[in-house]
Amino acid sequence: MTKLKVALIGAGGIATDVHIPAYRKVPEQVEIVAVADVAYDKAKTVASEYGIPAAFDNYETMLAETEADAVSVCVPNKFHKNAAIAALEAGCHVLCEKPPAMSQHEAKEMEDAATKSGKLLMYGFHYRFQSETQAAKRFIDAGELGDIYSGRVQAIRRRGIPGWGVFTNKELQGGGPLIDIGVHMLDTALFLMGYPEPAVVLGQTHQQLGTKKGVGLLGEWDYQNYTVEDMAVGMITFTNGASLVLESAFAANVEKRDTMQVSLMGNKGGADIFPLKMYQEKHDTLIDITPAYLSEINAHQTEIHAFVADCIEGNVTDRFAKQGTNIQKIIDGLYQSAESGKAVYL
Ligand SMILES: NC(=O)c1ccc[n+]([C@@H]2O[C@H](COP(=O)([O-])OP(=O)(O)OC[C@H]3O[C@@H](n4cnc5c(N)ncnc54)[C@H](O)[C@@H]3O)[C@@H](O)[C@H]2O)c1
């Protein structure tokens, strides 16, 4: 079997912690051929550490000189769109890190480029690959929750402002916890609900803790140059009559260090996903259902291996690209609503 030739754009944390190790787990299927980073030293160091044959200081040259079949886009959000489109136009399948982009407009451009190229554009939403999410999906698809009409999405850290990267820089990331971690739980909820069409959003953002010096459980952040929200709350309604409420924070005065949760309520059952627990009424009895066993998987790896399998098998779908545009529409709406103080009709 010919191996999938993979190149990476960006040689930072997610590339070295997740993408490269996952590709290296399937050496019979994947050969990493090149890495590009504007910080050329970083590209060279990563290339030499992982035995990647070529390092570049820009992805345009890398795409022109390397016959890659697939590209991982692992750069700050501001650069997702241009990098992903360049890779698609160079004839590569693309796995772009989350969030899809900075805005709905950008995500749509990426979706259109994928359609034009006939290549796969997938996003790094690994929570949908978790065993809990996959099991919940099987129960939901079998009708165990009935019609899901309401849900709650939480991505809340007590003191988890990232002390590395550019996660606190609005110009480079587009926002704070909403676009960075809230987006993971929102995608998980939407995935389980069948990605309904959003109708109206109401959002509010706060900047209460990030701009002040404080305890940093994820390192020390630059509080003097903190330009994103530290908490976002919102409500989303969908054209099918369902709704979601959302809370996402890098820092908040709460008990738990870290909450990543999706809760769904349907007319036949409800569920919390992390960990998976379902709630029903059967035979005049309220019952809870918990899986006795779920396989322990590395969801990041499972996601990347699913991407590899789809590339090799030529399973090109526009599903992910369309979902990317859809979720970005909700994020845009929530930020717009927070700014205007008014509900946004999508
Ligand atoms: N799936 C997840 O759970 C997860 C976790 C962390 C980060 N991410 C996403 O991954 C992306 C990168 O995050 P990170 O933590 O790796 O950041 P990072 O800052 O560690 O690395 C980003 C790298 O991109 C390089 N870069 C910047 N602009 C570039 C360009 N135009 N061309 C080439 N290289 C460029 C930087 O020099 C840096 O080395 C972000 O979009 C982030 O949201 C996803």
Side-chain angles (χ1 to χ4, degrees):
M1 187 184 76
T2 14
K3 290 187 189 182
L4 188 75
K5 293 196 181 78
V6 173
L8 293 116
I9 301 179
I14 199 74
T16 53
D17 293 348
V18 171
H19 288 245
I20 294 174
Y23 288 130
R24 280 160 56 97
K25 275 256 170 189
V26 285
E28 67 293 347
Q29 294 179 318
V30 172
E31 181 187 353
I32 306 180
V33 293
V35 56
D37 198 299
V38 283
Y40 187 41
D41 280 351
K42 211 162 169 181
K44 281 193 292 190
T45 306
V46 167
S48 106
E49 197 169 318
Y50 295 98
I52 301 171
F56 294 85
D57 63 5
N58 72 87
Y59 59 78
E60 291 87 351
T61 312
M62 178 181 80
L63 292 168
E65 293 185 6
T66 317
E67 291 192 345
D69 305 309
V71 165
S72 272
V73 172
C74 300
V75 287
N77 303 349
K78 183 173 182 173
F79 310 109
H80 285 190
K81 185 199 81 170
N82 285 353
I85 292 178
L88 288 164
E89 286 177 349
C92 299
H93 300 293
V94 171
L95 173 56
C96 177
E97 262 311 328
K98 50 51 64 174
M102 299 281 275
S103 67
Q104 177 198 353
H105 181 70
E106 287 191 2
K108 180 74 169 87
E109 276 187 62
M110 293 158 79
E111 179 193 328
D112 290 345
T115 308
K116 198 164 161 208
S117 70
K119 298 291 170 182
L120 178 65
L121 171 59
M122 187 171 150
Y123 294 114
F125 286 126
H126 65 276
Y127 280 89
R128 56 165 88 176
F129 291 90
Q130 295 271 28
S131 295
E132 291 89 342
T133 316
Q134 291 292 320
K137 183 91 173 104
R138 291 192 290 276
F139 275 74
I140 290 168
D141 287 350
E144 295 281 349
L145 266 54
D147 291 331
I148 298 170
Y149 56 86
S150 190
R152 195 165 54 236
V153 167
Q154 291 176 306
I156 303 172
R157 295 178 184 157
R158 182 164 177 167
R159 287 295 185 276
I161 300 176
W164 73 96
V166 295
F167 296 95
T168 57
N169 180 329
K170 190 168 183 178
E171 155 74 13
L172 295 177
Q173 288 290 101
L178 171 60
I179 201 166
D180 186 45
I181 52 176
V183 74
H184 269 308
M185 292 299 97
L186 184 57
D187 174 72
T188 306
L190 294 171
F191 170 70
L192 291 170
M193 294 165 79
Y195 253 86
E197 191 63 36
V200 186
V201 296
L202 179 65
Q204 199 173 45
T205 55
H206 303 276
Q207 203 187 53
Q208 295 287 341
L209 305 173
T211 51
K212 298 178 191 86
K213 192 170 169 52
V215 175
L217 299 180
L218 291 181
E220 272 190 37
W221 74 98
D222 182 359
Y223 66 92
Q224 283 164 321
N225 292 299
Y226 186 94
T227 51
V228 298
E229 82 279 5
D230 47 43
M231 175 149 200
V233 294
M235 176 164 182
I236 306 142
T237 69
F238 298 91
T239 55
N240 68 359
S243 61
L244 281 176
V245 289
L246 171 149
E247 289 174 298
S248 184
F250 277 161
N253 287 318
V254 291
E255 183 187 8
K256 280 179 73 181
R257 179 179 175 141
D258 210 344
T259 300
M260 293 293 266
Q261 183 61 284
V262 169
S263 304
L264 298 173
M265 285 148 270
N267 55 9
K268 290 194 179 153
D272 292 321
I273 310 301
F274 304 115
L276 181 59
K277 198 165 176 183
M278 288 166 283
Y279 314 103
Q280 288 183 330
E281 178 181 336
K282 273 193 177 156
H283 316 297
D284 297 326
T285 312
L286 296 178
I287 57 165
D288 297 349
I289 304 168
T290 49
Y293 170 80
L294 283 176
S295 54
E296 277 179 31
I297 55 133
N298 175 329
H300 272 301
Q301 248 172 44
T302 309
E303 164 214 300
I304 290 171
H305 294 167
F307 171 69
V308 168
D310 280 348
C311 292
I312 289 174
E313 286 157 25
N315 267 338
V316 174
T317 165
D318 61 3
R319 190 172 75 248
F320 303 115
K322 284 191 185 311
Q323 291 171 347
T325 308
N326 223 343
I327 198 166
Q328 208 76 52
K329 194 197 274 189
I330 296 174
I331 304 276
D332 278 15
L334 288 168
Y335 279 130
Q336 276 165 22
S337 168
E339 212 161 299
S340 67
K342 295 189 177 122
V344 173
Y345 291 76
L346 298 172

